[in-house]
Amino acid sequence: MTRIEERMIRAASDRVRGMTAVEAVEVLFREGLLSPRRCEQAAIRDEIARLERSGIPRCEAFHAAAEAFACSYEKARYAFYETFKR
């Protein structure tokens, strides 16, 4: 981690000091310090993983997650596989 990243993390953590985790995330989200797109991708990925753990095949899990998040199958698929590109 770079020094600039460390300073940014300290600045963000100072904004939420003393808050619960949920309150802190709400503040950071509202102030634009969290990426809505990345948060949505993470939530979709988590839902697909949860569905797979429950025994649902991946393709069906993509469909179910897309329905749950009111998005396209392609968006759910992209959110899942984007993780593996990095």
Side-chain angles (χ1 to χ4, degrees), residues 5 10 23 25 35 72 77 85:
E5 289 170 334
R10 278 196 302 274
E23 291 170 337
V25 171
S35 167
S72 67
R77 186 177 175 280
K85 290 182 182 178

Side-chain angles (χ1 to χ4, degrees), residues 47-57 61:
E47 178 67 4
I48 292 167
R50 183 189 70 75
L51 292 167
E52 282 188 304
R53 282 192 306 274
S54 72
I56 296 174

Side-chain angles (χ1 to χ4, degrees), residues 67-81:
E67 187 175 320
F69 284 88
C71 67
S72 67
Y73 173 90
E74 291 78 16
K75 184 174 183 176
R77 186 177 175 280
Y78 176 82
F80 183 80
Y81 286 115

Side-chain angles (χ1 to χ4, degrees), residues 2-54:
T2 67
R3 287 185 297 175
I4 293 172
E5 289 170 334
E6 290 172 357
R7 290 183 73 172
M8 289 186 295
I9 290 168
R10 278 196 302 274
S13 67
D14 288 345
R15 288 179 181 270
V16 298
R17 191 171 314 281
M19 295 180 187
T20 66
V22 172
E23 291 170 337
V25 171
E26 287 175 357
V27 167
L28 295 174
F29 194 78
R30 188 173 49 249
E31 292 184 8
L33 298 174
L34 289 177
S35 167
R37 181 174 179 220
R38 294 291 189 193
C39 290
E40 180 184 39
Q41 287 177 335
I44 291 170
R45 258 192 322 272
D46 291 347
E47 178 67 4
I48 292 167
R50 183 189 70 75
L51 292 167
E52 282 188 304
R53 282 192 306 274
S54 72

